[in-house]
């Protein structure tokens, strides 16, 4: 499961050539659509004024890791798993890329 319960995410992503608009939330739960066999994520908004908003259900393709979300990265040279934190999301031609901060030998890198 890519986005476990409690994971901070962005959803309802609307991209234009110059801007990215998203809603911020936390994964509340995960279920499976038995027809499509896709995972469906229940997301609740993060903003205080949106707490009365009901859970939104989205597929994995509609989600992205939010900033400050902890992620694991595999070093392609050594196979070592490095824990980092998402700094930002970039979308190009429908593909998601992340800037991730991590620490190696006491030095923080992105």
């Amino acid at each position: 499961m890519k986005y476990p319960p409690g994971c901070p995410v962005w959803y309802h992503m609307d991209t234009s050539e110059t801007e990215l608009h998203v809603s911020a939330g936390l994964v509340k739960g995960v279920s499976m659509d038995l027809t499509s066999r896709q995972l469906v994520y229940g997301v609740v908004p993060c903003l205080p004024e949106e707490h009365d908003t009901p859970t939104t259900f989205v597929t994995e393709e509609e989600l992205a890791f939010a900033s400050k979300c902890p992620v694991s990265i595999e070093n392609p040279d050594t196979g070592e798993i490095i824990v980092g934190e998402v700094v930002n999301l970039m979308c190009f031609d429908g593909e998601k890329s992340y800037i991730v901060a991590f620490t190696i030998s006491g030095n923080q890198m992105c």
Side-chain angles (χ1 to χ4, degrees):
M1 167 181 350
K2 189 171 183 176
Y3 305 98
C7 180
V9 292
W10 286 323
Y11 63 107
H12 289 159
M13 289 174 276
D14 179 22
T15 60
S16 71
E17 289 185 25
T18 58
E19 296 180 340
L20 173 65
H21 299 278
V22 298
S23 295
L26 291 173
V27 174
K28 183 176 181 180
V30 184
S31 58
M32 180 178 279
D33 180 322
L34 296 177
T35 304
S36 68
R37 297 184 110 28
Q38 284 189 320
L39 292 178
V40 178
Y41 294 83
V43 179
V44 293
C46 284
L47 299 176
E49 63 270 10
E50 294 181 350
H51 276 300
D52 292 335
T53 305
T55 301
T56 300
F57 295 94
V58 294
T59 63
E60 189 168 285
E61 293 78 28
E62 298 172 274
L63 291 174
F65 294 111
S67 62
K68 300 196 182 259
C69 181
V71 293
S72 298
I73 304 163
E74 182 178 353
N75 181 329
D77 298 326
T78 65
E80 175 188 10
I81 301 297
I82 302 167
V83 177
E85 186 176 272
V86 172
V87 176
N88 202 2
L89 165 70
M90 298 178 293
C91 293
F92 300 105
D93 296 328
E95 295 292 320
K96 297 175 214 165
S97 295
Y98 297 93
I99 297 173
V100 176
F102 54 95
T103 302
I104 296 179
S105 301
N107 297 316
Q108 187 170 4
M109 304 178 179
C110 284

